[in-house]
Amino acid sequence: DGGITQSPKYLFRKEGQNVTLSCEQNLNHDAMYWYRQDPGQGLRLIYYSQIVNDFQKGDIAEGYSVSREKKESFPLTVTSAQKNPTAFYLCASSRTGSEKLFFGSGTQLSVL
Amino acid sequence: GQQLNQSPQSMFIQEGEDVSMNCTSSSIFNTWLWYKQEPGEGPVLLIALYKAGELTSNGRLTAQFGITRKDSFLNISASIPSDVGIYFCAGQLRGNMLTFGGGTRLMVKP
């Protein structure tokens, strides 16, 4: 079945630690996105990539980094510079130029 | 930046009741979308709207693209327990990234 797979489902970060969230898609989509969801708030765009080896900052990129070495994969690293990392992180993909995003099932990141 | 105001923030209704929620913006959009998110999962697209005044249905769901292009509405008829979740609106202006509303949390009492 085609879809987007995020892992792990739950992740805990210690003080000063970098953690990486995985996102893999087999939909053959060129564009991939990372969103952050906080309780009671809408989805905020962290980073997006429209093609391999290229990505752009979204609205809240500070404290995060990404890479896009393969079309299928768009990992997100939450660095120690992100002082409030506790949130639900959603990865999405779409065909180039399409407004229809397909989402993964999310990763809940918490701070120990 | 653009902001979408979604209301109500939450609703607690009886099974069988109809539901209405809306989304308003200070800016115009070319496309409106409605997503549903169930607990612990990612949002799933319900309806996409592309033309001012457009009215589109998906089963018991009906959504409308406001004629001013600054608002959209979602109605759910005869609600059932599996309608529970968070409903998000999203707007897009010609190739730009989507802007999401804050969501309407729907709870249905059997």
Side-chain angles (χ1 to χ4, degrees):
Chain A
D1 288 335
I4 302 179
T5 302
Q6 288 188 242
S7 62
K9 184 64 177 176
Y10 300 96
L11 187 59
F12 295 91
R13 194 190 89 166
K14 295 180 182 178
E15 194 77 29
Q17 186 182 39
N18 293 353
V19 292
T20 297
L21 284 61
S22 171
C23 179
E24 303 277 332
Q25 55 98 1
N26 60 4
L27 298 169
N28 200 32
H29 286 168
D30 287 305
M32 298 187 74
Y33 313 80
W34 275 106
Y35 287 89
R36 171 177 171 144
Q37 184 177 18
D38 293 282
Q41 295 192 32
L43 307 182
R44 293 185 290 169
L45 183 64
I46 305 172
Y47 268 99
Y48 64 100
S49 168
Q50 295 181 311
I51 196 168
V52 174
N53 292 323
D54 188 43
F55 48 82
Q56 284 78 41
K57 293 181 179 180
D59 300 321
I60 55 166
E62 186 174 351
Y64 300 98
S65 66
V66 294
S67 62
R68 188 83 188 277
E69 297 177 0
K70 297 187 300 181
K71 186 176 183 178
E72 303 79 23
S73 179
F74 191 41
L76 173 74
T77 296
V78 184
T79 74
S80 57
Q82 173 50 247
K83 298 306 179 186
N84 183 24
T86 297
F88 192 55
Y89 290 85
L90 287 160
C91 179
S93 71
S94 73
R95 290 186 292 109
T96 301
S98 174
E99 70 287 351
K100 295 181 179 178
L101 269 56
F102 292 81
F103 286 88
S105 57
T107 293
Q108 176 65 49
L109 175 63
S110 304
V111 177
L112 288 176
Chain B
Q2 298 168 327
Q3 289 188 344
L4 291 185
N5 297 309
Q6 197 169 343
S7 65
Q9 287 188 322
S10 63
M11 304 178 72
F12 190 39
I13 62 169
Q14 191 75 35
E15 182 178 0
E17 289 183 357
D18 296 342
V19 173
S20 292
M21 60 190 78
N22 68 78
C23 204
T24 60
S25 170
S26 56
S27 306
I28 63 172
F29 288 106
N30 294 115
T31 302
W32 284 95
L33 304 110
W34 285 91
Y35 284 86
K36 178 189 177 186
Q37 182 181 31
E38 298 189 1
E41 298 295 328
V44 174
L45 181 64
L46 298 173
I47 293 177
L49 302 157
Y50 300 100
K51 187 177 177 181
E54 179 181 355
L55 189 71
T56 297
S57 294
N58 178 6
R60 293 178 295 106
L61 278 62
T62 301
Q64 185 164 24
F65 192 140
I67 57 173
T68 66
R69 295 169 63 195
K70 292 184 179 181
D71 54 10
S72 181
F73 308 87
L74 177 69
N75 295 316
I76 305 173
S77 62
S79 59
I80 59 178
S82 62
D83 290 333
V84 164
I86 303 176
Y87 291 80
F88 288 101
C89 62
Q92 185 195 44
L93 181 62
R94 200 170 282 115
N96 290 340
M97 294 297 109
L98 294 183
T99 299
F100 283 87
T104 293
R105 182 180 296 274
L106 178 64
M107 293 160 280
V108 179
K109 183 178 180 182

